[in-house]
C-alpha cells in the first residue's frame, strides 16, 4: 500500500507528517546513496525506443539451479517446516474473527472499542474518530480485560500483542495475565505450576510481542488481563490469539463451511529458494508454454525472476498483446507474491487439461508474471513471519527505499507544459522522456527500479496490475495530485473512463470486494465507491509505477490492494486464491479490449516502428512496436483514429469498438511524403526521375511567383 502524506495545521505551527497504511506512524523513508547504486546508470533518458519500439536485446532463459548469491549482509532464510503442534492464529488480524466475537471490560469511546483491538489495525489521522488504532480501556486498573470468543472449544497456545497505533499518543500494555473460560462466568488463569503467569508485553506501540502459554489451555473464550502499562499512557492494545479448534458436537459453529479450493496448488509462503523451486517445477511441467527469465538483480544480488506464459515463449508475436502482473513491490505485502505463484501453476495445469478459457488466454496473449519486485524486503519479513513482521518490516528495499516513490516524476513536466499550452506540438502527451537528473550518478534510484524500467522499455506491454496489500480497493492513475500542495485531490488521466472500467472489472469479480456486507479494513469505506478510487483522490504519491508506466510507455497499469492483512498466515492462502482467481483471469482478458492493428509502409508493406496512434478527443497517444503493431485500450464506441509517422502522410479512419471481448482490427497503410522519397533517393545515390525534376521545378516557380512583388 501507499503512504498517506497529510499536512496538518496546528495552532502554533504547520507540521508536515507522513503516515498511513504503508508504515508505522511517524516513520519516514530512509534515502541512502551507495557506491553500488552510483555505478548503475543504465536507464535510457529519451522516449524514443521505449516500450519495445526498437529491437531490444532479449532476456535469456534462466538456470534456476545455479548457486545462490553470497553476501555477508544477506543470509537467505530456510524453508519453514510446519510444526504440527503449533496452532495458527484465530484471525483477528485477517478479520476472520468478526467484531461480534470481541468484547472488553470497558471502552474509552467507540473508536477505541474491542472491535479495534486487532493486530496491525491502523488508525485514522484524528485522535477521536470512529477508527482509532486499538482497544483502550476507560479505566486504569488491573480489572480491565479484552476478550475473544473463539465460538468453539479451542486449544489456546499463545498471545501476540501490540500497543495502540497513533500519531498523537503512546499507549501500550507492558504485562498481562491470560484467562480462559467455557461460559464467561468461571475463568481459569494461566499458571506455571502453582503460580499465575504474568507475561511481559510491549516496549513500544508497533513491535508485535509473542508469548507462548507454558501449557496449552482449552476453552471457548480467552481474555487478556493487563497488569501494567506504559507509565505516560493508558491501557491500550491490539492482539492476535494462537489456537487450534477442537471437535465439539455441541456447537453449531462446527457446521460453518469455508469453501475449499478445488485447485491443487502449493498454498504456503515461498522464500527465495522455494520460489525458484516452484518456478522451475512449473517450467519443467509445461516447457512448451513457459519460460523463466530475470530482468535484473536486487541490491543484495537476488534475481528478479519472471515467468513468461505464451504459446511461443521467448518471442513477441505480431498482433499479440503483452500483459504483466507485478507483485512484491513492498516486500511485506505477500499475498500478491503467492497469487502469482499460484497463477502460474494454475495456467500450466489448466492448459494441459484443455481448459478453453486458459488455452485462449495463453495462445492469444503473452503473459509475464513478476512475483517479487523487492526480494530483499521479502526475505526480511519472511524471517519474522506473518504475525511478527508487524505492519512495515520488509516494506522497503535493503537500502531503505519505498519502490512506489522511486520512479521518475513525469507528471510535473507534463502539467507544466499543459499550463504553458505546449502539448502536444512542443511537448509530447505520451512517451515523456526521463528527466536528466534521474540518471545522475548520485540519483537515489534503486537497482530494482532500474531493472523494471529497463523491462518496460524492452517489451511493449499493454496492460498491467501492481499487487499490494493492506486494503481492499483498486486504484487507478493518476496517483499524484496536480495541485502539489494537496494531500489528496481527484486527478484523472485522459483515459479516466478506461481506467475506471479496468478497476471495476477487478473489484466486481473479487469475492471479498464484491461483498457489500464485509467489514472495512482500517478506516476507509471504499464500498461506497464500488471499491475503486483514483489514486490521487486517496492520497498523493509522487514517483509511482502506475503514473510512470502510463506516461513513459504504452502500458495502462492499476494498483490492486488485495487484502486487509498484508502478511496473512498460510492457512489463509487458499481463501485468498479463491477470492482473487476470477479477478486475475478476467483482468488479463481486458488486454483484448479496444483496437489493435499494424501500421505499414504502403509500398513495402513493412511495419513502421514508432508510428503515433492518435485517438480523437483523447489527449494521450501511443506508439507502434518494433514490427509496427499496436494496441490501444478503449471502451466500446466509435472513434476517429489517426496513424502518423515521420516521413509519411497521416492516415485517418473510423474504428468501432464493440462489447465483444476481442479487439477491433484497425490497420493503416501510410504513404511516404515527396520529401521523404527524395531524401531516400539522394541517400542511395540515385538520379531523380524526370517527372520528379519537372514537379520540383514547377514548385520552385510557384513559390518564386508568390514571393515576387505585384
Amino acid at each position: 500500500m501507499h503512504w498517506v502524506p497529510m499536512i496538518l495545521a496546528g495552532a502554533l505551527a504547520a507540521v508536515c507528517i507522513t503516515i498511513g497504511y504503508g508504515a508505522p506512524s511517524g516513520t519516514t523513508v530512509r534515502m541512502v546513496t551507495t557506491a553500488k547504486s552510483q555505478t548503475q546508470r543504465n536507464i535510457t533518458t529519451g522516449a524514443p525506443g521505449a516500450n519495445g519500439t526498437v529491437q531490444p536485446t532479449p532476456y535469456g532463459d534462466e538456470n534456476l539451479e545455479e548457486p545462490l548469491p553470497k553476501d555477508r549482509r544477506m543470509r537467505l532464510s530456510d524453508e519453514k517446516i510446519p510444526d504440527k503442534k503449533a496452532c495458527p492464529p484465530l484471525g483477528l488480524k485477517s478479520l476472520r474473527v468478526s467484531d461480534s466475537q470481541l468484547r472488553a471490560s470497558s471502552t474509552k469511546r467507540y473508536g477505541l472499542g474491542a472491535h479495534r483491538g486487532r493486530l496491525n489495525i491502523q488508525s485514522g489521522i484524528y485522535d477521536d474518530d470512529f477508527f482509532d488504532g486499538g482497544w483502550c480501556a476507560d479505566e486504569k486498573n488491573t480489572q480491565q480485560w479484552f476478550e475473544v470468543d473463539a465460538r468453539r472449544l479451542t486449544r489456546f497456545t499463545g498471545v501476540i500483542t501490540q500497543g495502540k497505533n497513533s500519531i498523537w499518543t503512546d499507549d501500550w500494555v507492558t504485562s498481562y495475565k491470560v484467562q480462559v473460560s467455557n461460559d464467561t462466568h468461571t475463568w481459569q488463569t494461566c499458571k506455571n505450576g502453582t503460580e499465575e503467569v504474568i507475561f511481559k508485553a510491549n516496549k513500544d506501540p508497533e513491535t508485535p510481542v509473542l508469548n507462548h502459554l507454558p501449557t496449552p489451555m482449552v476453552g471457548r473464550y480467552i481474555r487478556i488481563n493487563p497488569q501494567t502499562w506504559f507509565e505516560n499512557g493508558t491501557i491500550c492494545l491490539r492482539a492476535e490469539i494462537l489456537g487450534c479448534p477442537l471437535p465439539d458436537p455441541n456447537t453449531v459453529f462446527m457446521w460453518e463451511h469455508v469453501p475449499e479450493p478445488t485447485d491443487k496448488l502449493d498454498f504456503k509462503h515461498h522464500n527465495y529458494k522455494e520460489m525458484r523451486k516452484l518456478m522451475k517445477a512449473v517450467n519443467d511441467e509445461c516447457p512448451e508454454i513457459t519460460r523463466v527469465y530475470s530482468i535484473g538483480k536486487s541490491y543484495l544480488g537476488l534475481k528478479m525472476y519472471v515467468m513468461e506464459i505464451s504459446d511461443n515463449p521467448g518471442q513477441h508475436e505480431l498482433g499479440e498483446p503483452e500483459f504483466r502482473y507485478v507483485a512484491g513491490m513492498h516486500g511485506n505485502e505477500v499475498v500478491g507474491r503467492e497469487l502469482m505463484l499460484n497463477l502460474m501453476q494454475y495456467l500450466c495445469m489448466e492448459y494441459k487439461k484443455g481448459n478453453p478459457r486458459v488455452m485462449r488466454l495463453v495462445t492469444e496473449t503473452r503473459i509475464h508474471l513478476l512475483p517479487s519486485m523487492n526480494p530483499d524486503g521479502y526475505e526480511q519479513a519472511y524471517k519474522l513471519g506473518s504475525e511478527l513482521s508487524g505492519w512495515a518490516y520488509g516494506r522497503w528495499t535493503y537500502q531503505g527505499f519505498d519502490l512506489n516513490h522511486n520512479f521518475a516524476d513525469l507528471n510535473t513536466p507534463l502539467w507544466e507544459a499543459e499550463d504553458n499550452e505546449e502539448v502536444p506540438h512542443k511537448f509530447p502527451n505520451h512517451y515523456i522522456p526521463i528527466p536528466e537528473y534521474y540518471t545522475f550518478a548520485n540519483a537515489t534510484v534503486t537497482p530494482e527500479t532500474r531493472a523494471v524500467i529497463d523491462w518496460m522499455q524492452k517489451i511493449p506491454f499493454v496492460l498491467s496490475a501492481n499487487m499490494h496489500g493492506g486494503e481492499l480497493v483498486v486504484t487507478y492513475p493518476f496517483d499524484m495530485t496536480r495541485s502539489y500542495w494537496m494531500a489528496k485531490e481527484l486527478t484523472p488521466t485522459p483515459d479516466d473512463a478506461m481506467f475506471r472500467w479496468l478497476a471495476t472489472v477487478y473489484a466486481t469479480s473479487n469475492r471479498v470486494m464484491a461483498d457489500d456486507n464485509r467489514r472495512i479494513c482500517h478506516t476507509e469505506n471504499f464500498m461506497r465507491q464500488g471499491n475503486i478510487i483514483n489514486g490521487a483522490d486517496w492520497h498523493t504519491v509522487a514517483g509511482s509505477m502506475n503514473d510512470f508506466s502510463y506516461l513513459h510507455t504504452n502500458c495502462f497499469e492499476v494498483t490492486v490492494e488485495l487484502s486487509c492483512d498484508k502478511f496473512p498466515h498460510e492457512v489463509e492462502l487458499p481463501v485468498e486464491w479463491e477470492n482473487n482467481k476470477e479477478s486475475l483471469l478476467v483482468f488479463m482478458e481486458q488486454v483484448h479490449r479496444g483496437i489493435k492493428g499494424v501500421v505499414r509502409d504502403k509500398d513495402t508493406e513493412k511495419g513502421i516502428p514508432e508510428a503515433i496512434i492518435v485517438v480523437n478527443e483523447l489527449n494521450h497517444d501511443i506508439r507502434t512496436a518494433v514490427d509496427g503493431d499496436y494496441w490501444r485500450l478503449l471502451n466500446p464506441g466509435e472513434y476517429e483514429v489517426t496513424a502518423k509517422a515521420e516521413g509519411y502522410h497521416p492516415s485517418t479512419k473510423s474504428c468501432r469498438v464493440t462489447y465483444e471481448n476481442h479487439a477491433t482490427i484497425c490497420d493503416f497503410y501510410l504513404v511516404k511524403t515527396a520529401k521523404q522519397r527524395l531524401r531516400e533517393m539522394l541517400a542511395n545515390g540515385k538520379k531523380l526521375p524526370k517527372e520528379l525534376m519537372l514537379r520540383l521545378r514547377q514548385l520552385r516557380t510557384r513559390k518564386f511567383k508568390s514571393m515576387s512583388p505585384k
Side-chain angles (χ1 to χ4, degrees):
M1 291 184 65
H2 307 309
W3 282 58
V4 185
M6 294 290 180
I7 300 177
L8 305 177
L12 300 176
V15 182
C16 181
I17 59 176
T18 305
I19 67 169
Y21 299 144
S25 305
T27 306
T28 57
V29 177
R30 296 179 288 118
M31 305 300 282
V32 182
T33 304
T34 66
K36 183 169 184 176
S37 65
Q38 290 176 355
T39 61
Q40 296 175 332
R41 302 180 59 189
N42 59 355
I43 295 178
T44 304
T45 57
N51 206 81
T53 57
V54 295
Q55 190 67 50
T57 303
Y59 292 104
D61 293 4
E62 279 297 315
N63 175 17
L64 293 173
E65 294 182 330
E66 67 182 6
L68 293 168
K70 294 182 179 180
D71 192 305
R72 61 182 176 80
R73 295 162 296 188
M74 175 187 64
R75 293 179 181 176
L76 287 177
S77 53
D78 294 322
E79 179 187 5
K80 294 179 180 178
I81 307 300
D83 183 355
K84 294 182 180 180
K85 296 182 180 180
C87 289
L90 295 188
L92 279 76
K93 181 164 69 88
S94 67
L95 305 186
R96 191 152 36 95
V97 171
S98 67
D99 288 351
S100 62
Q101 293 175 250
L102 306 177
R103 290 200 314 149
S105 54
S106 64
T107 296
K108 199 169 186 180
R109 61 176 179 274
Y110 177 79
L112 292 169
H115 65 291
R116 303 296 293 176
R118 300 172 180 274
L119 197 72
N120 283 343
I121 204 163
Q122 300 295 291
S123 67
I125 63 169
Y126 304 108
D127 206 30
D128 57 354
D129 61 16
F130 280 3
F131 306 106
D132 226 318
W135 162 69
C136 290
D138 191 37
E139 302 175 20
K140 290 185 181 181
N141 59 54
T142 57
Q143 305 306 310
Q144 304 304 307
W145 45 262
F146 174 80
E147 179 183 297
V148 181
D149 176 6
R151 286 187 167 174
R152 59 189 295 178
L153 281 180
T154 302
R155 181 166 63 90
F156 298 110
T157 62
V159 174
I160 304 171
T161 57
Q162 287 173 310
K164 173 188 170 188
N165 174 253
S166 172
I167 61 175
W168 304 106
T169 60
D170 291 323
D171 302 292
W172 62 83
V173 170
T174 56
S175 68
Y176 59 85
K177 294 180 180 180
V178 172
Q179 300 170 328
V180 172
S181 173
N182 285 324
D183 55 12
T184 72
H185 297 291
T186 304
W187 291 88
Q188 178 184 358
T189 302
C190 179
K191 295 183 179 181
N192 190 1
T194 58
E195 294 186 3
E196 294 183 349
V197 179
I198 298 180
F199 296 96
K200 292 183 179 179
N202 300 85
K203 297 180 180 179
D204 64 72
E206 293 300 332
T207 306
V209 173
L210 166 64
N211 280 299
H212 290 289
L213 306 187
T215 303
M217 302 179 70
V218 174
R220 172 174 168 174
Y221 305 90
I222 184 170
R223 280 181 179 177
I224 301 173
N225 172 214
Q227 298 297 298
T228 58
W229 44 91
F230 179 53
E231 59 182 357
N232 295 325
T234 188
I235 299 175
C236 295
L237 61 79
R238 293 174 287 168
E240 181 61 90
I241 307 297
L242 305 183
C244 296
L246 298 177
D248 184 0
N250 298 318
T251 176
V252 297
F253 295 108
M254 273 200 68
W255 306 334
E256 290 181 345
H257 177 65
V258 177
E260 289 292 328
T262 56
D263 305 313
K264 303 301 181 183
L265 307 177
D266 192 13
F267 295 118
K268 69 174 186 179
H269 290 296
H270 297 79
N271 63 6
Y272 183 74
K273 298 176 184 177
E274 292 300 306
M275 182 184 73
R276 293 204 327 170
K277 288 181 182 178
L278 186 145
M279 295 179 78
K280 182 178 185 304
V282 172
N283 183 228
D284 290 344
E285 184 72 16
C286 296
E288 70 282 5
I289 63 165
T290 64
R291 183 176 76 101
V292 180
Y293 64 93
S294 169
I295 62 172
K297 294 182 179 180
S298 68
Y299 180 77
L300 293 181
L302 299 182
K303 288 189 175 182
M304 300 165 66
Y305 291 112
V306 176
M307 174 66 77
E308 177 190 340
I309 302 175
S310 168
D311 58 340
N312 285 296
Q315 58 182 330
H316 172 71
E317 296 181 70
L318 187 71
E320 185 169 291
E322 307 265 358
F323 177 92
R324 72 169 182 257
Y325 273 132
V326 178
M329 170 178 269
H330 296 145
N332 65 326
E333 296 169 15
V334 306
V335 175
R337 176 190 181 104
E338 298 308 323
L339 287 178
M340 292 303 98
L341 298 177
N342 293 153
L343 181 59
M344 61 183 70
Q345 290 177 285
Y346 175 81
L347 292 176
C348 170
M349 291 166 49
E350 294 301 304
Y351 185 87
K352 294 185 70 175
K353 291 178 182 177
N355 182 321
R357 185 183 190 186
V358 170
M359 293 187 73
R360 184 169 58 251
L361 261 176
V362 172
T363 56
E364 297 179 1
T365 317
R366 192 178 178 208
I367 302 165
H368 305 257
L369 308 178
L370 173 61
S372 186
M373 182 177 169
N374 179 9
D376 296 348
Y378 176 83
E379 289 297 311
Q380 291 178 313
Y382 179 86
K383 289 175 184 177
L384 290 183
S386 56
E387 275 60 60
L388 298 182
S389 57
W391 186 247
Y393 190 73
R395 171 189 176 95
W396 302 282
T397 67
Y398 182 85
Q399 296 170 279
F401 290 99
D402 185 330
L403 292 178
N404 207 35
H405 294 256
N406 200 234
F407 288 80
D409 170 17
L410 305 182
N411 306 57
T412 300
L414 172 65
W415 293 334
E416 288 178 352
E418 287 181 345
D419 292 341
N420 295 327
E421 298 182 348
E422 296 175 345
V423 178
H425 56 284
K426 290 185 179 179
F427 193 91
N429 64 10
H430 69 296
Y431 274 51
I432 298 173
I434 296 174
E436 187 179 3
Y437 73 83
Y438 193 78
T439 66
F440 289 162
N442 62 349
T444 50
V445 185
T446 71
E448 295 89 349
T449 304
R450 294 178 187 273
V452 170
I453 291 177
D454 186 56
W455 189 36
M456 291 179 177
Q457 292 175 338
K458 285 183 176 180
I459 297 176
F461 292 112
V462 180
L463 180 60
S464 171
N466 180 14
M467 303 303 191
H468 286 242
E471 257 299 350
L472 280 168
V473 68
V474 184
T475 74
Y476 54 91
F478 285 118
D479 286 335
M480 179 181 175
T481 57
R482 185 154 187 162
S483 304
Y484 67 87
W485 63 88
M486 296 290 288
K488 62 179 182 177
E489 175 189 46
L490 180 63
T491 311
T493 67
D495 288 285
D496 187 61
M498 187 69 226
F499 273 117
R500 288 177 62 83
W501 167 257
L502 293 171
T504 300
V505 162
Y506 199 101
T508 54
S509 55
N510 181 281
R511 288 202 326 177
V512 181
M513 292 187 200
D515 181 5
D516 292 335
N517 296 317
R518 70 175 175 87
R519 184 196 190 281
I520 66 170
C521 290
H522 300 279
T523 65
E524 304 261 10
N525 185 1
F526 294 109
M527 288 176 278
R528 291 177 296 188
Q529 299 158 294
N531 298 294
I532 70 170
I533 191 170
N534 172 254
D537 202 26
W538 183 15
H539 52 258
T540 187
V541 177
S544 78
M545 188 164 73
N546 286 9
D547 287 2
F548 180 88
S549 179
Y550 180 68
L551 295 176
H552 186 65
T553 76
N554 288 343
C555 188
F556 287 36
E557 182 172 278
V558 301
T559 290
V560 183
E561 301 283 352
L562 292 162
S563 66
C564 300
D565 190 353
K566 288 185 176 185
F567 198 151
H569 191 275
E570 67 179 28
V571 299
E572 309 279 357
L573 295 180
V575 176
E576 295 293 352
W577 168 251
E578 288 299 312
N579 290 343
N580 288 277
K581 179 174 74 170
E582 179 62 21
S583 304
L584 293 169
L585 296 174
V586 75
F587 187 80
M588 285 193 289
E589 291 168 342
Q590 302 313 301
V591 76
H592 297 283
R593 179 175 292 273
I595 61 174
K596 70 175 183 178
V598 182
V599 181
R600 292 185 171 92
D601 184 305
K602 188 174 182 180
D603 296 332
T604 65
E605 296 196 355
K606 290 183 178 179
I608 303 174
E610 293 200 67
I612 298 174
I613 304 298
V614 181
V615 178
N616 191 34
E617 298 183 358
L618 282 179
N619 189 26
H620 183 80
D621 306 333
I622 64 164
R623 298 192 189 187
T624 57
V626 65
D627 297 322
D629 47 351
Y630 76 91
W631 307 262
R632 181 53 162 101
L633 296 178
L634 293 168
N635 280 324
E638 196 86 24
Y639 298 91
E640 186 178 281
V641 184
T642 300
K644 56 185 181 180
E646 185 177 355
Y648 292 87
H649 293 291
S651 175
T652 301
K653 63 167 59 176
S654 179
C655 301
R656 186 169 184 267
V657 179
T658 68
Y659 287 90
E660 300 298 323
N661 196 26
H662 58 77
T664 300
I665 297 176
C666 282
D667 292 329
F668 292 88
Y669 289 87
L670 302 188
V671 178
K672 289 179 182 175
T673 63
K675 281 187 177 181
Q676 180 66 20
R677 293 179 186 277
L678 182 59
R679 289 193 194 100
E680 292 178 1
M681 292 180 69
L682 293 175
N684 294 329
K686 295 182 179 179
K687 292 183 179 181
L688 300 181
K690 291 182 180 181
E691 296 82 0
L692 184 56
M693 293 285 287
L694 180 61
R695 178 62 178 158
L696 290 173
R697 194 175 294 119
Q698 290 173 343
L699 290 173
R700 289 194 198 100
T701 302
R702 189 181 303 169
K703 184 177 181 181
F704 178 75
K705 286 181 178 180
S706 66
M707 296 174 62
S708 300
K710 295 183 179 179

